[in-house]
Amino acid sequence: MPLIPDDEIERIKRETDLAAVVRSRGVALTQKGGDLIGLCPFHKDENPSLHVTPAKRLWRCMSCHATGNVIQFLMRFDGLSFQHVIDLLRAGMAFKSPPTCTPVKKSTVPRLPAPVKRDADDQAALRQVLDYYHERLKENPDALAYLKKRGLTAEAVTAFKIGFVDRTLGLRLPQKNRKEGAALRARLTQLGIYRKTGHEHFRGRIIFPVIAEDGTIGTVYGRAIDDGGKHERHLFLPGPQRGLWNPAALKSSEVILTEGIIDALTFWCAGFRNVTTSYSAKVLPEEMLDALIAAKVARVFIAFDRDEAGDHGAEAVAAQLMARGLECRRVLFPHGQDANSYAVAVTPPEKSLAVLLNAAAWLGKGKVSSPVAPAPSSLAASVAAERAPEVAPTPNEATKEKSSVPSVSQPVLVLSGEHWLLAIDGREYRVGGLEKTL
């Protein structure tokens, strides 16, 4: 995937005043026909041989035959990389001349402000890097298009500080051959932002930080959007996955638990804000279990992927939760699908996900499962109600205490082996193949 789209490069060349950039490097230009001419800075030039053609946005030396556009002029004169020049032009800083107004082979002095302060502690440094990645996402149309394709909204991008790593952080840090740069890069390597190879850990990935309510960074998840199979698709900061994603979910007595962050965001964008993730289809870490218990969560909807790993993981997590006294239900996507693929395929997502939440299979509560399933949860119904036109309640409804459980007169689907059991008016029906018809 190109880090800078071709149309963005063309826009930058079109909107940049080439003559002004050349003059900012100490080259005096005079008009000659349709060109501007001056002494070429790339060789010892006694007669003006540099021709700048504003109409074509090109320059050329008639003696040494150096040629190009504004980007190539800055790369050659300032000794900067292509990406560094693009960032200078985007920031409107290309018209400021370097310390010495003579061409250099390779610049070792950063020309853009560093996003990480030298006196920042570890958490502050992490936040500053993540803020920088968040801003870089806004400059990358491909990354934004990927999020849109997955059904993730601009509101979610802002709320969860989603970012993109376009390999430009190093352009804003002091070089490693300088004392300050070596110390700063070593520290970012310790934090997992950089690898020992000198590359950014999440390069080419969209990142999803896990941020506590007090701003503490627990971990960071990175998702490759077009790696061609060359890199790991899923990547975390080195070390254990700490922290609870979307801690606001624990303010509800009912919590949706997904296998991955993108699946959790899918629910969140569809209006189900009481959702978090376990980061994998494995047993929950004690930190997450303790948080659920401390928040007095009563019911967990396990919305893991519908594959072998997801089914085994859901079974193990349900055993953990029920051992701590929580009620568990299994959200059953069609075979081979997860929350995101299902919501994208079956629109609108707020309704398609609500259907599966209402039909979630009851797994049990506490250490011993009861043979009789309780009434379905109002989790999906509450979201649907928020999006439906407001209707005045009847006198009886107005006096009722608000409950998270709807009337028990509604039919309840209960999974039993490969079939579902449905009780209606005293009769029990067995239903097969339901997943194939959703």
Side-chain angles (χ1 to χ4, degrees):
M1 181 193 71
L3 294 181
I4 306 172
D6 290 340
D7 58 351
E8 172 72 358
I9 296 171
E10 291 303 317
R11 181 192 67 78
I12 289 172
K13 291 191 294 185
R14 184 174 62 252
E15 296 178 1
T16 302
D17 187 337
L18 171 60
V21 170
V22 173
R23 286 189 172 109
S24 71
R25 269 46 181 184
V27 179
L29 296 175
T30 58
Q31 191 76 41
K32 185 178 181 181
D35 289 355
L36 299 169
I37 64 170
L39 296 175
C40 177
F42 304 121
H43 75 284
K44 190 175 181 180
D45 193 12
E46 296 180 356
N47 296 310
S49 56
L50 178 70
H51 286 241
V52 176
T53 310
K56 296 182 178 179
R57 297 184 290 277
L58 295 172
W59 58 272
R60 177 180 177 82
C61 177
M62 298 303 180
S63 297
C64 71
H65 306 298
T67 186
N69 53 48
V70 66
I71 298 172
Q72 291 155 335
F73 181 86
L74 287 171
M75 289 174 65
R76 183 160 185 157
F77 194 101
D78 291 8
L80 302 176
S81 69
F82 178 83
Q83 179 69 66
H84 201 158
V85 169
I86 291 293
D87 279 358
L88 277 175
L89 291 169
R90 278 174 169 168
M93 297 180 65
F95 302 98
K96 183 179 179 182
S97 62
T100 58
C101 225
T102 55
V104 296
K105 288 186 177 181
K106 185 176 181 181
S107 174
T108 60
V109 179
R111 303 281 302 284
L112 296 162
V116 184
K117 306 302 180 186
R118 68 176 71 182
D119 58 348
D121 60 28
D122 286 352
Q123 279 292 319
L126 268 178
R127 283 194 294 272
Q128 289 165 7
V129 170
L130 295 176
D131 285 344
Y132 175 72
Y133 288 156
H134 179 60
E135 291 301 315
R136 298 309 297 178
L137 174 67
K138 301 173 185 178
E139 300 288 340
N140 194 285
D142 288 336
L144 292 171
Y146 175 85
L147 292 174
K148 185 177 180 180
K149 181 180 70 175
R150 302 297 295 266
L152 306 186
T153 62
E155 182 187 8
V157 169
T158 301
F160 294 101
K161 285 282 187 181
I162 300 172
F164 182 68
V165 182
D166 60 357
R167 312 178 205 184
T168 62
L169 178 62
L171 303 178
R172 294 174 178 262
L173 301 178
Q175 292 295 323
K176 61 182 178 181
N177 60 356
R178 298 174 180 268
K179 183 178 179 180
E180 181 185 355
L184 186 53
R185 289 166 187 268
R187 188 170 174 208
L188 292 179
T189 301
Q190 270 189 327
L191 295 174
I193 296 298
Y194 271 92
R195 297 180 180 179
K196 292 181 180 179
T197 59
H199 296 295
E200 288 173 82
H201 182 63
F202 291 111
R203 62 190 186 277
R205 289 175 170 82
I206 293 179
I207 59 162
F208 305 85
V210 176
I211 306 174
E213 289 183 319
D214 64 358
T216 302
I217 310 299
T219 188
V220 180
Y221 166 65
R223 178 65 162 80
I225 58 178
D226 185 14
D227 58 3
K230 297 178 182 178
H231 307 288
E232 294 177 72
R233 180 174 293 179
H234 308 284
L235 199 62
F236 284 89
L237 274 181
Q241 282 82 62
R242 295 190 177 93
L244 182 76
W245 184 85
N246 188 29
L250 299 190
K251 295 177 181 178
S252 172
S253 62
E254 297 179 326
V255 170
I256 303 168
L257 181 67
T258 69
E259 192 174 315
I261 287 181
I262 291 180
D263 289 331
L265 278 165
T266 300
F267 277 103
W268 193 91
C269 292
F272 302 97
R273 299 300 168 89
N274 49 337
V275 59
T276 189
T277 176
S278 63
Y279 310 123
S280 70
K282 299 178 181 178
V283 293
L284 302 181
E286 286 298 319
E287 178 187 20
M288 187 170 293
L289 281 172
D290 292 343
L292 291 167
I293 299 301
K296 298 182 180 179
V297 172
R299 184 178 296 111
V300 176
F301 288 74
I302 303 174
F304 284 10
D305 300 0
R306 195 70 193 281
D307 54 21
E308 185 176 357
D311 290 340
H312 287 313
E315 185 179 349
V317 168
Q320 276 185 293
L321 294 171
M322 289 190 291
R324 303 288 285 268
L326 278 71
E327 178 184 335
C328 293
R329 297 176 185 239
R330 173 74 161 115
V331 180
L332 295 170
F333 303 105
H335 287 286
Q337 291 194 351
D338 56 29
N340 186 259
S341 60
Y342 178 77
V344 170
V346 186
T347 56
E350 59 268 24
K351 291 185 178 180
S352 61
L353 292 172
V355 167
L356 296 192
L357 286 168
N358 278 326
W362 188 72
L363 302 179
K365 178 180 180 181
K367 295 183 180 180
V368 180
S369 299
S370 167
V372 179
S377 163
S378 66
L379 185 66
S382 63
V383 172
E386 289 177 4
R387 301 186 175 220
E390 188 173 333
V391 179
T394 63
N396 288 338
E397 290 173 333
T399 59
K400 288 180 182 178
E401 182 181 354
K402 290 184 179 180
S403 170
S404 63
V405 179
S407 170
V408 295
S409 63
Q410 297 181 14
V412 179
L413 280 171
V414 180
L415 184 63
S416 177
E418 296 181 356
H419 296 85
W420 296 79
L421 300 182
L422 180 66
I424 301 178
D425 296 332
R427 292 191 178 188
E428 187 175 75
Y429 298 85
R430 187 171 65 174
V431 183
L434 183 59
E435 296 86 352
K436 298 178 181 178
T437 62
L438 284 174

